Amino acid sequence: MNSAIYNPTNPHHPSSQFPQIKTCKTLKELQQVHAHFIKTRQIHDPLAAAEVLRSYALSNHRNIEHARALFNQMKTPNCFSWNTIFRALAESSVPEHPLEALLLFSRMVCDGLVAPNKFTFPSVLKACSRLGNAQVGKSIHGMVVKFGLECDEFVVSSLVRMYLMCGVMEDAHLLFSRSVGGCGDSSEKKQEGNVVLWNLIVDGHVRVGEFSAARELFDRMPQRSVVSWNAMISAYAQNGFFREAVDMFRDMQIGDVLPNYVTLISVLPAIARLGALDLGEWVHLFAGKHKIGIDDVLGSALVDMYSKCGSIEKALLVFEQLPKKNVITWNAAISGLAIHGRGKDALHYFLKMGRAGVVPSDVTYIGLLSACSHGGMVEQGRSLFNHMINVAGLEPRIEHYGCMVDLLGRAGLLEEAEELILNMPIPPDDVIWKSLLGACKIQGNIEMDQRVAKILMDMAPRDSGSYVALSNMYASLGNWEAVSNVRMLMKDMDIRKDPGGSWIELDGVLHEFLVEDKSHSRAGEIHSMLEEISNKLRLQGYKPNTTQVLLNIDEEEKQSALHYHSEKIAVAFGLISSASQSPLRVVKNLRICEDCHSSIKLISKIYKRKIIVRDRKRFHHFEHGLCSCNDYW
Ligand code: ZN
Ligand code: ZN
């Protein structure tokens, strides 16, 4: 073969000699060209055969069976053809194909007619990664050394990736530090190659859940690309470290690497969870300014962010403007309406979704059922639940049963709710029993309350929720002896209450408060404000509701404990720190208590402020002394 014409090491092998192959749009067209090549005996030209193979193996109209058949007919496939078939098999979604790639590779090595080159190893190593076979990977590593390719950055990064994917962190690190440290090559190209390696190793640690190790490496990176930032941001966001994800996104803005589409998709869920509306709006503006197209995926993330940050109007605005909406977009709008207590609108959107020809998923029904639950729409809830099973043909998951129990329980249909739990085809979990427990408390059904609390304690003995509920129930009856027994039990088992926490975003900064928090830099002013609030509340004839305080202490102390619930501290801080017209947006990690709920209603009236509180379940929009939930939550 004339290497001046055909260079098998070039992955972008010019196919200009065979334009008829390149212009094929379908498998059928390609087969016709193939047949023509056979007829004209052109197929015996290794270049022509290699091109047809490449098109069978890797084009949009690829067909691995045809590729394999052609490859097997080749008497002495050239390196380009070997590499083509390796890559096609290594990247194939058929589970058996990566192994086939490895078997073929050993045939290539045994035949010894063609030597593998630097484009061979990445595909073969990929096959090892997909099989998770570090043993074979290691012997291929040996071959890389034998063929003198250990300094090729493309091959080295494939090796590092293979070790990481197979979970052999030690070898990955060894190779990584040798590659980024050694050679003494500090050229720009080498630096860029190093960024790829750094990204790989950071991502490898993320994959196995070693976030602090990943972060340590990230901080040590001499140079970071947008991929590096995205790896860390999405790692944090997807694993519940929302604060860290958002902080990292802010750090990114200080540097000279601009966020891209992937960055925005990764950070928006974290922003949504924290309720950081200002930052979310910034992301939205950024996308517009930098011409990052808002497609259905980014659009869904924006709709979700706006609704979780308390601005359902903006969520719906983004929703309406989206040219393309998928089922996730519709779900974001429907569950957004649900958590804002707009049950009727949620049902309306469901009808619109059907008219738009989008098939609802089981997540759609979670949104709908919780909309019914928040809105007290029992009949609609029941019929949607049946619709889901009988018309949509979807199997209800535990979440759907949870919504139904919640819906029935809140509406006072405790027996029906309990019956539903007992007749579920799947075993009920603690979340389901907890929602029944919550309903018992609202309905004041002490007998069922005790029964359910005991079931819960057996089920999740380490969970504070059932103990607190039981203890609060005894407290509301004034049975302090029973309260102290429950507390003793909790102490014996070393069970602590989930600490309540709230946060509020002001001028793009998140301020976090815990129960009885005195750590804030403006703690003194906040405290005076809390005093002022309680005086004004008292003048309005407000009496604190102290039945939900866990402790058996005298009235005065109980009242002061209530003053310091984190959502109240956040509201006090918001009142002294923001312009008098701007609404306050507070996020609380637990369910808002009755006392905070009724006092924030009054605060909204006294201070003429719109206050929006998102608790663990839903939004409360407080205005003119009323709440959007109509005290039903
Ligand atoms: Zn409270
Ligand atoms: Zn409310």
Side-chain angles (χ1 to χ4, degrees):
M1 192 194 321
N2 190 341
S3 63
I5 302 169
Y6 173 62
N7 175 5
T9 61
N10 182 0
H12 310 295
H13 169 58
S15 55
S16 53
Q17 293 182 62
F18 308 102
Q20 63 272 55
I21 298 175
K22 198 149 198 195
T23 49
C24 285
K25 294 269 181 302
T26 61
L27 181 63
K28 204 167 168 206
E29 281 175 35
L30 178 62
Q31 282 175 292
Q32 280 164 357
V33 174
H34 186 188
H36 179 73
F37 275 23
I38 294 170
K39 211 167 129 196
T40 58
R41 306 182 64 79
Q42 230 181 322
I43 201 71
H44 298 300
D45 172 3
L47 292 192
E51 270 313 312
V52 176
L53 174 69
R54 183 178 167 79
S55 199
Y56 273 136
L58 301 168
S59 67
N60 288 333
H61 42 270
R62 69 185 69 183
N63 180 300
I64 197 106
E65 270 64 46
H66 286 66
R68 191 194 284 117
L70 177 57
F71 182 80
N72 288 336
Q73 283 162 17
M74 293 175 162
K75 282 203 188 75
T76 44
N78 58 28
C79 194
F80 182 83
S81 294
W82 279 106
N83 292 350
T84 302
I85 200 83
F86 291 147
R87 192 175 140 198
L89 291 169
E91 289 175 359
S92 158
S93 56
V94 178
E96 292 80 25
H97 284 170
L99 182 62
E100 194 183 332
L102 291 183
L103 293 173
L104 263 184
F105 177 66
S106 69
R107 203 181 98 195
M108 180 197 200
V109 176
C110 290
D111 288 356
L113 296 173
V114 185
N117 65 16
K118 65 174 180 176
F119 299 108
T120 312
F121 288 105
S123 297
V124 175
L125 288 166
K126 182 165 195 170
C128 290
S129 309
R130 292 202 41 202
L131 293 167
N133 194 331
Q135 213 57 37
V136 176
K138 259 185 199 176
S139 60
I140 291 172
H141 186 173
M143 257 180 252
V144 166
V145 177
K146 190 179 144 202
F147 285 98
L149 292 167
E150 64 206 302
C151 266
D152 183 87
E153 60 186 48
F154 198 42
V155 175
V156 169
S157 61
S158 300
L159 274 170
V160 172
R161 186 181 286 121
M162 180 276 295
Y163 282 125
L164 290 169
M165 298 290 280
C166 293
V168 192
M169 304 305 278
E170 220 167 291
D171 290 10
H173 261 283
L174 211 65
L175 196 57
F176 164 75
S177 25
R178 211 187 300 153
S179 307
V180 296
C183 294
D185 182 358
S186 58
S187 67
E188 204 164 294
K189 194 167 165 287
K190 173 76 183 162
Q191 282 294 324
E192 273 168 31
N194 281 349
V195 176
V196 173
L197 277 182
W198 277 99
N199 288 345
L200 274 179
I201 202 101
V202 167
D203 192 54
H205 282 281
V206 165
R207 268 170 201 281
V208 293
E210 295 173 1
F211 301 110
S212 50
R215 179 57 189 266
E216 221 168 274
L217 284 159
F218 177 86
D219 289 340
R220 272 173 42 208
M221 283 178 87
Q223 208 180 317
R224 296 181 192 102
S225 66
V226 68
V227 178
S228 332
W229 288 97
N230 291 352
M232 282 312 297
I233 291 172
S234 69
Y236 280 141
Q238 285 169 20
N239 290 283
F241 302 103
F242 307 118
R243 191 74 197 244
E244 285 82 354
V246 164
D247 286 346
M248 184 125 259
F249 181 64
R250 283 186 214 278
D251 289 346
M252 184 181 185
Q253 290 163 39
I254 301 165
D256 49 9
V257 179
L258 276 182
N260 64 9
Y261 176 85
V262 177
T263 324
L264 305 190
I265 299 266
S266 310
V267 77
L268 277 170
I271 293 175
R273 289 296 288 264
L274 294 175
L277 182 63
D278 287 352
L279 190 60
E281 278 177 329
W282 187 91
V283 167
H284 192 184
L285 284 174
F286 181 90
K289 210 168 123 195
H290 292 268
K291 308 263 179 302
I292 296 178
I294 300 181
D295 60 1
D296 47 346
V297 178
L298 182 52
S300 306
L302 283 169
V303 170
D304 185 59
M305 179 278 294
Y306 275 122
S307 87
K308 291 212 174 101
C309 288
S311 185
I312 186 70
E313 289 75 20
K314 277 208 174 128
L316 296 178
L317 212 61
V318 174
F319 179 85
E320 296 301 343
Q321 285 168 355
L322 281 177
K324 186 171 167 256
K325 305 173 181 76
N326 62 27
V327 62
I328 299 170
T329 329
W330 283 97
N331 290 350
I334 289 173
S335 19
L337 288 163
I339 51 173
H340 284 275
R342 288 171 54 173
K344 288 207 178 73
D345 291 334
L347 295 185
H348 178 63
Y349 267 69
F350 178 58
L351 294 179
K352 283 211 307 195
M353 179 182 185
R355 282 201 293 273
V358 179
V359 179
S361 67
D362 57 349
V363 177
T364 318
Y365 286 93
I366 295 178
L368 290 167
L369 293 175
S370 69
C372 293
S373 171
H374 291 313
M377 303 186 288
V378 179
E379 262 327 299
Q380 287 95 326
R382 276 199 197 113
S383 82
L384 277 165
F385 190 70
N386 291 331
H387 186 271
M388 170 183 175
I389 300 168
N390 301 323
V391 182
L394 294 166
E395 193 83 32
R397 285 192 281 132
I398 197 115
E399 289 88 345
H400 299 97
Y401 285 103
C403 289
M404 283 308 288
V405 168
D406 207 49
L407 170 72
L408 297 169
R410 277 165 197 284
L413 303 164
L414 291 174
E415 275 75 27
E416 192 181 337
E418 194 181 21
E419 203 149 303
L420 185 70
I421 297 180
L422 295 173
N423 290 317
M424 275 167 60
I426 30 180
D429 62 1
D430 56 325
V431 180
I432 292 234
W433 285 113
K434 262 187 217 162
S435 55
L436 184 60
L437 187 73
C440 291
K441 195 169 137 280
I442 296 169
Q443 306 296 335
N445 187 329
I446 292 156
E447 183 269 325
M448 195 185 278
D449 188 313
Q450 263 172 305
R451 190 147 40 89
V452 175
K454 284 190 179 125
I455 293 173
L456 264 168
M457 282 178 201
D458 284 342
M459 216 168 182
R462 312 281 329 146
D463 189 326
S464 63
S466 40
Y467 296 88
V468 173
L470 196 62
S471 156
N472 278 339
M473 194 265 300
Y474 288 133
S476 68
L477 297 173
N479 185 348
W480 300 113
E481 202 188 318
V483 171
S484 80
N485 284 343
V486 177
R487 282 179 49 75
M488 291 277 276
L489 195 63
M490 282 177 80
K491 214 172 167 188
D492 284 350
M493 296 181 65
D494 194 28
I495 292 166
R496 297 192 185 104
K497 267 175 43 161
D498 281 347
S502 297
W503 50 94
I504 180 167
E505 186 193 40
L506 284 172
D507 302 325
V509 180
L510 281 177
H511 299 263
E512 197 171 354
F513 300 94
L514 302 173
V515 193
E516 308 222 18
D517 199 342
K518 295 184 183 96
S519 64
H520 195 270
S521 59
R522 295 178 66 185
E525 292 164 77
I526 296 170
H527 188 82
S528 323
M529 190 61 191
L530 283 165
E531 295 272 286
E532 184 194 309
I533 290 172
S534 61
N535 288 335
K536 287 197 175 167
L537 287 177
R538 212 168 299 136
L539 285 174
Q540 294 270 329
Y542 159 80
K543 272 208 191 83
N545 174 351
T546 53
T547 54
Q548 291 188 19
V549 188
L550 185 60
L551 311 171
N552 174 17
I553 41 179
D554 64 40
E555 278 302 310
E556 196 180 336
E557 260 186 278
K558 263 191 273 178
Q559 285 183 26
S560 79
L562 283 173
H563 292 163
Y564 297 111
H565 268 182
S566 61
E567 59 268 50
K568 262 195 195 161
I569 306 178
V571 165
F573 173 68
L575 287 173
I576 58 173
S577 320
S578 62
S580 60
Q581 297 303 314
S582 59
L584 302 180
R585 294 170 201 281
V586 174
V587 177
K588 160 134 212 215
N589 66 341
L590 305 175
R591 181 179 177 273
I592 187 170
C593 81
E594 273 162 42
D595 181 70
C596 286
H597 195 267
S598 49
S599 41
I600 295 174
K601 277 202 291 189
L602 272 176
I603 294 170
S604 77
K605 186 172 149 198
I606 298 166
Y607 290 91
K608 298 188 176 60
R609 276 289 183 122
K610 210 173 159 173
I611 302 172
I612 300 150
V613 178
R614 186 183 93 192
D615 73 3
R616 196 167 57 185
K617 286 244 155 154
R618 61 166 295 155
F619 275 95
H620 301 267
H621 296 257
F622 297 95
E623 202 174 8
H624 311 305
L626 296 171
C627 179
S628 63
C629 74
N630 293 320
D631 303 333
Y632 188 84
W633 83 98

